[in-house]
Each structure stands twice: as C-alpha cells, then as structure tokens.
Amino acid sequence: MAELKTETITLNMGPQHPSTHGVLRLELVLDGEIVLEVKPVIGYLHRCFEKHAEAMTYPQVVPYVDRMDYLASMNNELGYAVAVERLCGVKVPEKVEYIRVIMAELNRIASHLVALGTYGLDAGAFTPFLYCFIDREKILEIFEITCGARLLYNYIWVGGLSHDITPNFKEKVLEFVKVFRPRIKELNDLLSFNKIFIERTANVGVLPPEVAINAGTSGPTLRGSGVNFDLRKNDPYSIYDRFDFKVIVGNGEMGTVGDSWDRYMVRVWEMEESCKIIEQAIEQMPAEGNVQEAVPKRIKPPVGEIYARTETPRGELGFYIISDGTNYPIRVKARGPAFCNLSALPLMSKGCMIADLVVILGSIDIVLGEIDR
Amino acid sequence: MNSNEIYNLLKSFFPDAVIDYKDDKPVEPYIIVSAKEIDKICLFLRDEENLQFDYLSCLSSVDFDNDNLAAVYNLYSFVHNHKLNIKVIVPKSDPVIKTVSSVWNTANWHEREAYDLMGIIFDEHPDFRRILLPDDWEGYPLRKDYKVQEFYNGMKVPY
C-alpha cells in the first residue's frame, strides 16, 4: 500500500477558551494530536499602563499596578512602593513593614489557591476548586475588613498604608492560619497525591533548569525546575530577611525535575511557608505606630532611575522607574513575571499532546492582566 | 565583581565597543556600549568564567532625550550573585540594535515589546513583529512625541 500523505494543520486555541485562563490565543501547529509548535499571541487586554503612568503622579500609579496582576494586587503594590521608596530614600515605619509583609503573604496564599484550584479544573477535577475558593474567601474577607476592597485594594501606598489595621486583625489572621494549615493537607489528599492527577501532570512539560534560567522564568516556574532562588531570600527587600522560612524547590518526586507536577507542588508547599512568615510577623509586629506617618505630602524623587524587583506569587516583578525630579515619572516599565514565564511555554510544550498543553499552560499560572499590561 | 571592575575587564576586551561608565548616585552604575557590538559583549558577559551573567532580568526601552532612544539591560548572575546594568543609546533617526535573543531567550519577547511600543529595531531577531499591539497599528505609543492615529480600520480611536 502506498504511504498515506499526512499534513500538519494550524489550529487556533483561544482567545475565548476556558483553559487559556483569560484572553490568550495560542496558534498551534499540529501533526494529528501532537503539538509541533506553539505560538502564543498576546495583547488582547493591552491598555498601555506604562503610557498612562507617565501622565500620573507617583501615588496615582498605585491603582494601575493593582490591575496588572489582579490576583495578587498587594504584591504588585508592594513592588511598586519598594521601587519608589528606594528612589526617594523614604524610610517606612516598622509597623507598616510588618503589615505589608502579612498582606503580601496572605495575598500569595490567595493567589496560589486560585492557581491550584483552577489547575485542578484544567486537569478535570472540579471539587478541589471549590475547596480552594472557600479558603480564599476568608482571606478576601480579611482584606475587605482592612481596606474595604476585595480584589483591587490601593492599600499599600508609597511610604505607608491607606488604612490602619482593625483591633481584631491579629486574632483574625491567626485564626485563619490555624484553620488553613489542615486544609493544605486536605488539598493534598484530594488532589496533589491523587493517582489520576499525578498521571496527568508528572513528566509532562519538563523544563530543565538551564533552559528555565535562560528563558528568564521566575517564581514557582523556576523553582519547580529545581533552582533554589527566591528574591525574598536571595535579594531581600522590605523586612523579609528577618523571617525564617524555606525556599521550596521541585525535586522530581513523581517524575522528572521541572515537570508540571513539580511546579504545582511548589505552590502547595509555599502556602505553608507563607503561613510561617505570617505567624512570625504577627508575633514581632509592634503595637504602636502611625501607618501614614512617612507618607510624603508630595512625592518628588531626585533625578535618577531604579530597577527594583520583588517576589510576587508568579515570580520576579521588576519596576524600572526613571525620574526627572518632577511629580511625574518619565518612564515606568513593569517586568511582569508571567510575561517571561509564558515566553517559555513554546520550549516546554514541543511534542506534547493537545490535552497536555492545557496542563502545561495551567502549571505556569499566567494572569493576562499582567502579561498584556 | 562590582560594576567598575566589570567595566575595566570589558574595556580591555572590547576597547571600541564599550563607550562609557556612569556612577552618579542615586542611579545604579551602568555601562554604555555600542549598539553594533552588544550581542558580542552580552555573549562574553554570559560565558566568561568569573562573570556568568546567565539571567536577563529586564530589558526596557526608554525615550532617552529628543534625539535618542535607549535600551536598558538589567543582568543578574545566579552563580556569582552580582548585577550589572547596560545601556545602549541609539539615534531616533536610525534606532537599530543587534539582538541578544540568541544569548538569553528572555530577550526575544522583551525586544519585540521594545519595538512595539518604542520603535527600536532589533537586527537579526528571529521573530521580529509587534507583540502587544495589532500588526497594522501606526506609530510607537511610548515615544514622547506619539500622536494616536485618528482611525484604526474605520473605528475612531481617541475617545
């Protein structure tokens, strides 16, 4: 029998596809069920935040950075505030630093919960998603009590915070941590060590460490590949050098180092480490202090420029800010972690099946608001 | 190694391509290099034994002044835990820089973004096209003299 003629086809996935986590389009070149090439097409949510920022004063930029990575707004604000404060040389009160760390870590847990829950959905497990959202709801409640908003907070200002914490804040947070710890174990029983889930994710989308570094990935995507690097430890900002916590790295427990399961598991154990940081911060936090004491009346950084980077749930968020000595920044460039992580997708999904592509994409936990800015 | 030592080392290997070293507070020190040799310098920075800048943190485009654009490279080394900032300044009339995407894969998308929003052209880039804006968009939004187009495909743009 003569050889059958085969052809590759180009298939469009997204931008309205539930497993692309937002408005992401993937151009796939397929040989039957096998993906030969992936081309991410981004920009559907582009609003040129960087151009907007040039027309704003420094404090007015904060609500815009909220809307970049809308699942981890506190971490974005912290990154921006750290950058501007370093540029101006503002020293923030101790109490503010502690509240910031607690908020950032709570938001990290909330963001990871969404990532893990929706990852379960991608792999076909519906129930863990509901469990994750119950706990996330409790965190959002704490945020709501503190600053009135549930998603986009405008809470961490340059030099301070918009509101002081409520009197029962500490108890509420400690109670959350106490309830949440066993829930991690529950999630592990439900999803992480579920045989079907492991079959679906282990050995899928392997990203070797050298490739991960060269592609500029960061956060759980980089650590899942076994690279021990966390900006909170390796380039500390705020007061992260005072806390005792472990950097979680992937070890290929279920398959190869750097597979999708490793990236998933790094997030699970990071929630535990965040709990540790929160407990230590609550304990060390000074009771007295005015959270708006150091907020400058007018922010006019000296002529200069800075690149400051912080660790968000997705990785290294960098702000490159240039000041010409006026109230308005000349240039604000945001280096989004998900932007760089997504650019590594073609490298880890060559030769996989379409169904696995969904799993790989879920494991890098993208937020399109930050990729498109 | 600190930036000054790296500058001296680079200067000895690339006397013509390394232009200047600036260290004025509060700006972090940076090295200005030539647009035509940036790829060779970056390859050297990545592969030299005691430099090993294996990570490109960020690549930003800047509307430097009235006549010039700039690209800023923030480098980091996992091995030696040191940082370096590099600047390339090109005239607006001929904004061409050699690509470094063969050195660090990160640069691929960042260079496309710099082209898309600032109009810097990266020579020999493997996949050179706009990334965030539509392919038929006119102009480069982050330039200070940018005027938004009146109509895009028959739709009024300014609101």
Side-chain angles (χ1 to χ4, degrees):
Chain A
M1 199 177 94
E3 280 281 303
L4 277 176
K5 193 168 161 272
T6 58
E7 269 178 25
T8 59
I9 57 163
T10 306
L11 184 76
N12 199 33
M13 185 167 162
Q16 282 86 20
H17 189 284
S19 67
T20 54
H21 294 257
V23 277
L24 168 70
R25 183 155 75 94
L26 299 172
E27 274 176 33
L28 312 179
V29 179
L30 300 175
D31 177 8
E33 188 78 355
I34 293 169
V35 178
L36 297 180
E37 204 184 340
V38 186
K39 270 194 195 161
V41 180
I42 61 174
Y44 289 91
L45 215 59
H46 181 59
R47 55 238 183 247
C48 215
F49 137 79
E50 293 170 9
K51 187 76 178 174
H52 276 292
E54 290 170 15
M56 303 281 156
T57 61
Y58 286 91
Q60 283 173 335
V61 177
V62 176
Y64 282 85
V65 300
D66 270 347
R67 283 153 180 79
M68 277 171 44
D69 180 354
Y70 42 75
L71 290 178
S73 297
M74 289 286 185
N75 299 76
N76 293 357
E77 292 167 8
L78 181 59
Y80 178 74
V82 165
V84 179
E85 280 156 14
R86 273 194 207 156
L87 193 58
C88 310
V90 174
K91 181 101 184 67
V92 260
E94 284 280 290
K95 187 179 176 188
V96 173
E97 295 276 32
Y98 279 102
I99 298 174
R100 281 178 176 186
V101 166
I102 295 168
M103 291 301 186
E105 292 309 315
L106 280 175
N107 213 163
R108 188 182 311 275
I109 296 176
S111 169
H112 280 348
L113 282 171
V114 177
L116 301 174
T118 52
Y119 193 44
L121 280 185
D122 286 343
F126 193 84
T127 318
F129 174 74
L130 302 172
Y131 276 69
C132 290
F133 266 59
I134 292 170
D135 295 314
R136 177 172 178 261
E137 187 62 32
K138 289 177 195 148
I139 298 175
L140 297 191
E141 212 164 83
I142 294 173
F143 288 158
E144 193 177 7
I145 290 169
T146 314
C147 66
R150 285 167 53 83
L151 203 62
L152 307 162
Y153 313 106
N154 190 14
Y155 180 65
I156 297 176
W157 286 358
V158 177
L161 304 166
S162 73
H163 298 78
D164 200 350
I165 47 174
T166 50
N168 62 352
F169 176 81
K170 284 185 185 180
E171 288 80 62
K172 269 200 146 346
V173 173
L174 285 178
E175 191 196 307
F176 165 76
V177 172
K178 200 174 144 215
V179 176
F180 181 64
R181 277 238 168 87
R183 302 278 287 186
I184 299 178
K185 199 186 161 295
E186 206 172 54
L187 178 70
N188 282 343
D189 294 343
L190 257 179
L191 186 62
S192 315
F193 295 106
N194 179 310
K195 187 154 190 313
I196 303 170
F197 180 71
I198 292 171
E199 294 279 314
R200 250 339 229 108
T201 54
N203 288 323
V204 169
V206 177
L207 183 67
E210 7 11 288
V211 179
I213 291 173
N214 193 267
T217 60
S218 51
T221 312
L222 178 66
R223 289 193 285 275
S225 296
V227 180
N228 189 331
F229 184 77
D230 188 320
L231 289 170
R232 291 174 292 173
K233 268 266 198 285
N234 298 62
D235 192 3
Y237 53 95
S238 190
I239 49 166
Y240 274 107
D241 45 355
R242 294 182 199 173
F243 304 114
D244 173 36
F245 64 98
K246 271 208 319 258
V247 177
I248 308 290
V249 291
N251 52 10
E253 201 180 328
M254 292 298 161
T256 322
V257 178
D259 60 9
S260 300
W261 192 84
D262 271 353
R263 286 191 284 277
Y264 164 90
M265 215 50 204
V266 166
R267 291 195 183 91
V268 174
W269 296 127
E270 263 186 25
M271 297 198 296
E272 173 73 36
E273 298 303 313
S274 290
C275 286
K276 275 192 210 163
I277 298 177
I278 292 167
E279 280 176 340
Q280 292 169 46
I282 290 271
E283 197 181 307
Q284 297 171 16
M285 184 161 75
E288 295 303 312
N290 180 358
V291 294
Q292 297 204 334
E293 193 179 68
V295 177
K297 287 223 166 51
R298 288 177 78 197
I299 298 172
K300 261 191 175 180
V303 181
E305 56 184 62
I306 191 152
Y307 178 72
R309 48 188 198 161
T310 54
E311 183 84 25
T312 75
R314 270 153 210 88
E316 171 179 338
L317 173 71
F319 278 104
Y320 178 68
I321 301 175
I322 305 182
S323 157
D324 62 345
T326 60
N327 297 346
Y328 299 89
I330 288 241
R331 177 86 169 94
V332 178
K333 149 99 186 176
R335 180 257 198 233
F339 182 80
C340 298
N341 291 350
L342 181 63
S343 71
L345 177 70
L347 302 174
M348 48 178 133
S349 52
K350 221 163 244 163
C352 70
M353 312 288 263
I354 302 183
D356 289 344
L357 181 70
V358 171
V359 173
I360 299 170
L361 183 66
S363 75
I364 49 179
D365 185 25
I366 49 167
V367 168
L368 268 297
E370 178 208 87
I371 292 168
D372 294 345
R373 276 160 290 149
Chain B
M1 281 173 114
N2 67 28
S3 299
N4 202 356
E5 289 162 5
I6 295 170
Y7 169 70
N8 291 331
L9 184 70
L10 277 183
K11 192 79 186 165
S12 63
F13 276 90
F14 303 92
D16 302 325
V18 178
I19 298 166
D20 205 358
Y21 171 72
K22 290 258 170 66
D23 186 10
D24 349 301
K25 290 272 169 335
V27 185
E28 287 169 0
Y30 60 87
I31 297 170
I32 302 177
V33 304
S34 135
K36 292 200 174 63
E37 306 265 329
I38 176 78
D39 54 337
K40 284 182 204 133
I41 291 173
C42 284
L43 199 62
F44 175 78
L45 286 169
R46 189 192 71 179
D47 292 341
E48 174 68 24
E49 188 62 33
N50 40 16
L51 296 175
Q52 294 199 24
F53 284 102
D54 45 8
Y55 194 70
L56 175 68
S57 264
C58 186
L59 194 163
S60 325
S61 55
V62 183
D63 194 337
F64 196 68
D65 52 33
N66 286 331
D67 304 317
N68 295 303
L69 300 173
V72 184
Y73 303 74
N74 303 93
L75 310 181
Y76 177 74
S77 165
F78 279 99
V79 184
H80 297 294
N81 194 19
H82 55 200
K83 293 183 204 169
L84 183 70
N85 304 324
I86 291 181
K87 259 187 204 181
V88 177
I89 298 170
V90 282
K92 270 185 189 171
S93 52
D94 180 30
V96 181
I97 301 179
K98 269 275 175 72
T99 180
V100 296
S101 56
S102 54
V103 184
W104 299 290
N105 212 339
T106 334
N108 190 324
W109 279 26
H110 274 106
E111 285 177 350
R112 279 174 68 190
E113 190 193 323
Y115 163 67
D116 193 0
L117 302 179
M118 195 65 88
I120 299 175
I121 292 161
F122 290 91
D123 204 12
E124 293 174 22
H125 189 285
D127 181 23
F128 200 56
R129 57 202 164 94
R130 285 188 181 261
I131 184 164
L132 293 169
L133 299 175
D135 287 340
D136 50 355
W137 194 260
E138 289 165 22
Y140 307 109
L142 282 180
R143 289 203 185 175
K144 294 288 179 192
D145 55 1
Y146 171 70
K147 292 265 185 317
V148 72
Q149 64 201 60
E150 192 77 13
F151 286 97
Y152 171 70
N153 285 345
M155 292 176 281
K156 202 169 181 309
V157 177
Y159 52 92

